[in-house]
Amino acid sequence: MNTEAFARLWRTHNNDLSQTAQAYLLEDMMTTLKQRRDRQNLFFLLMTAILGTITFVAGYDMIKNDSLDPAREWAVLLMLAAPWAALLLMRRRFNRHLNAFPNTEGTLPDTLRVMADENRAARTQALILLVMMVIFPVITGFALWQLMLVGKMELAHVQQAALLFGGALGASALWQVIRYVRVLKPEGARLKALLQDYQS
């Protein structure tokens, strides 16, 4: 509990407990929503920087050394494109949320509606990531197989890469499932119930 904020609101509302509690709850919800939006924007910024660096380095090597035969190694290009597609889909869903609710300030029911839509956006983004984590191992498998066929990788290296990618993707997918089931879905249900109570 933020005692400084509560004390400030207590004085603002002339020591009225009911008004102070409602104002404190509303301010806390708006602060939480702003923090989530800031974290989401930071996530997109970091992922864009990481994917941009990987794409630039890989593309530079392919062009400079003419090291890729698209007809025989097309899965490598899919490996580069798939994360971008997932990121763009997530960004598009987040932008729809921002366009629908550009402001975080309002009444308690208004703020609940904003948080409910933010929760729906977060669930959609989690599902996009999960689908990506299902598809990406297939693309990676094709890419490794093609690299082995053209003599750029040996079987031992393919096995090591498969274990590395598989372990990382498996851990990420497990985390997304836990986050969706234990955090996002219950939060969405609670927000929906609260909105129905206000509307009834």
Side-chain angles (χ1 to χ4, degrees), residues 5 8 49-50 52 58 60 63 76 81-83 87 89-90 95 106 124 135 142 144 155 170 182 194-196:
R8 171 174 50 80
I50 292 170
Y60 179 78
I63 294 171
V76 174
L87 185 64
L89 286 173
M90 290 189 292
N95 284 344
T124 300
I135 295 174
F142 272 113
L144 295 175
L155 179 59
R182 299 292 300 273
L194 284 171
L195 274 172
Q196 288 175 344

Side-chain angles (χ1 to χ4, degrees), residues 106-145:
T107 64
L108 193 56
D110 290 338
T111 306
L112 283 172
R113 277 188 281 272
V114 178
M115 293 194 73
D117 190 73
E118 188 273 337
N119 177 269
R120 285 190 293 270
R123 281 185 286 157
T124 300
Q125 291 170 15
L127 290 175
I128 291 171
L129 281 175
L130 283 172
V131 171
M132 174 67 188
M133 290 171 188
V134 171
I135 295 174
F136 199 73
V138 178
I139 299 173
T140 303
F142 272 113
L144 295 175
W145 178 63

Side-chain angles (χ1 to χ4, degrees), residues 3 5 11 27 58 69 85 107 121 124 133 157 159 190:
T3 54
R11 291 191 297 271
E27 185 173 297
D69 180 0
T107 64
T124 300
M133 290 171 188
H157 296 151
Q159 292 172 338
R190 288 193 297 270

